Amino acid sequence: MQSTQTATRTCLNCSAPYEQDQSFCPSCGQSTHVHRLTVGHILHEFFHAIFHTDTSIFGIIKHLMVRPGYIARAYVDGKRKSLYNPFNFLVVLVALSILIINLSGVDVFQARNGNPVANLMTKHFNLVIFFTVPLTALYTSLLFKKQEVNFAEAAVLACYTAGERTVFFLVLVIPLMKFFPEHHLAIIWSYLWLYALYFAMACVQFTGQRTVLGFFKGILPTIFLQITLYLLIFLSIYLYHVLK
């Protein structure tokens, strides 16, 4: 008698068994069609990660321009397979921004004036961006507590918007600073207010509180963030001169 059983194999990622006719591991979801790596395969994966639909960097950047709150809400509500991970998104954009800033030669924090804090922020620009995420998430979760937004959910929104903020910075601020360095302060303030309005829109979309009050509350996290950063900067400068 011919056997009706299907041969089983073992997933190379998690070692779970799967049927021979299954295209994906039922345990971890990895493709069962794993081939030896080639240069062509690596290039395919690279361009797929950059350009492919919503899960790509370019795809998520496009959607985050006008729908940041909806994207973050979809991720929080469980639609995570088809969306670029917010934390990975921020890491990739920050790494790209450091590369472009270094190549452009733009003195973002005016460290050439000899300010020790500016020097520190220039050298650790990535840490400055990452530091803003938990602060933004904290202020957002407190302001939208009645809408039941917790810290972790607010962190998703903060990561997506901080990543898109980095895109704004690279596309708008860096070229303007490069060609109009004498207007450095005006460029920075315009950029900060643009981001404040963008984040407010994101909060309205994320929480569903489509009112003037909701929009105003959405601006406050970025204002509180800047106040906190300036206080820390002034404190750092004071301690530097005291301990010098």
Side-chain angles (χ1 to χ4, degrees):
M1 179 184 296
Q2 186 178 5
S3 175
T4 58
Q5 292 184 341
T6 304
T8 60
R9 294 182 179 180
T10 302
C11 176
L12 297 177
N13 181 57
C14 67
S15 301
Y18 66 88
E19 304 299 330
Q20 187 174 3
D21 58 350
Q22 290 181 298
S23 298
F24 297 93
C25 172
S27 179
C28 68
Q30 174 171 284
S31 173
T32 58
H33 304 292
V34 180
H35 307 286
R36 183 177 181 179
L37 285 176
T38 64
V39 174
H41 179 78
I42 292 176
L43 289 175
H44 171 77
E45 291 295 322
F46 174 76
F47 286 108
H48 185 277
I50 294 178
F51 296 106
H52 183 69
T53 62
D54 294 346
T55 59
S56 70
I57 285 289
F58 286 165
I60 198 69
I61 286 174
K62 178 184 69 174
H63 290 297
L64 285 173
M65 285 183 184
V66 294
R67 304 178 69 245
Y70 296 133
I71 297 296
R73 172 52 61 186
Y75 188 89
V76 166
D77 289 344
K79 190 178 180 182
R80 298 169 190 173
K81 185 69 175 177
S82 61
L83 292 174
Y84 206 99
N85 182 285
F87 307 101
N88 294 344
F89 176 70
L90 179 60
V91 169
V92 171
L93 264 299
V94 169
L96 181 62
S97 68
I98 292 172
L99 175 63
I100 293 178
I101 289 172
N102 289 334
L103 291 175
S104 70
V106 172
D107 187 11
V108 175
F109 298 105
Q110 295 187 323
R112 292 166 191 163
N113 294 338
N115 188 318
V117 177
N119 287 328
L120 182 65
M121 294 176 72
T122 299
K123 291 180 181 178
H124 302 285
F125 179 72
N126 56 335
L127 297 181
V128 174
I129 298 298
F130 292 140
F131 181 67
T132 65
V133 169
L135 284 177
T136 304
L138 174 62
Y139 293 138
T140 303
S141 60
L142 291 175
L143 286 164
F144 290 96
K145 188 175 181 180
K146 289 185 178 180
Q147 283 69 42
E148 300 182 348
V149 176
N150 63 34
F151 177 82
E153 294 170 341
V156 170
L157 180 66
C159 281
Y160 274 136
T161 52
E164 195 74 1
R165 175 183 184 175
T166 305
V167 175
F168 295 162
F169 194 83
L170 296 178
V171 174
L172 297 176
V173 178
I174 293 300
L176 289 174
M177 284 186 175
K178 184 71 174 179
F179 295 106
F180 306 101
E182 67 276 12
H183 299 298
H184 180 278
L185 191 60
I187 293 170
I188 287 295
W189 277 107
S190 299
Y191 158 71
L192 291 176
W193 276 111
L194 176 63
Y195 177 66
L197 296 174
Y198 171 78
F199 190 81
M201 177 186 72
C203 287
V204 169
Q205 294 175 351
F206 186 75
T207 62
Q209 193 176 10
R210 298 176 178 85
T211 62
V212 174
L213 177 61
F215 189 83
F216 177 73
K217 286 168 60 177
I219 292 179
L220 290 180
T222 55
I223 294 177
F224 292 159
L225 171 65
Q226 290 306 131
I227 293 174
T228 304
L229 291 177
Y230 284 131
L231 288 176
L232 290 175
I233 289 171
F234 290 143
L235 179 61
S236 300
I237 294 175
Y238 173 77
L239 291 176
Y240 172 80
H241 288 295
V242 169
L243 299 176
K244 187 175 179 181

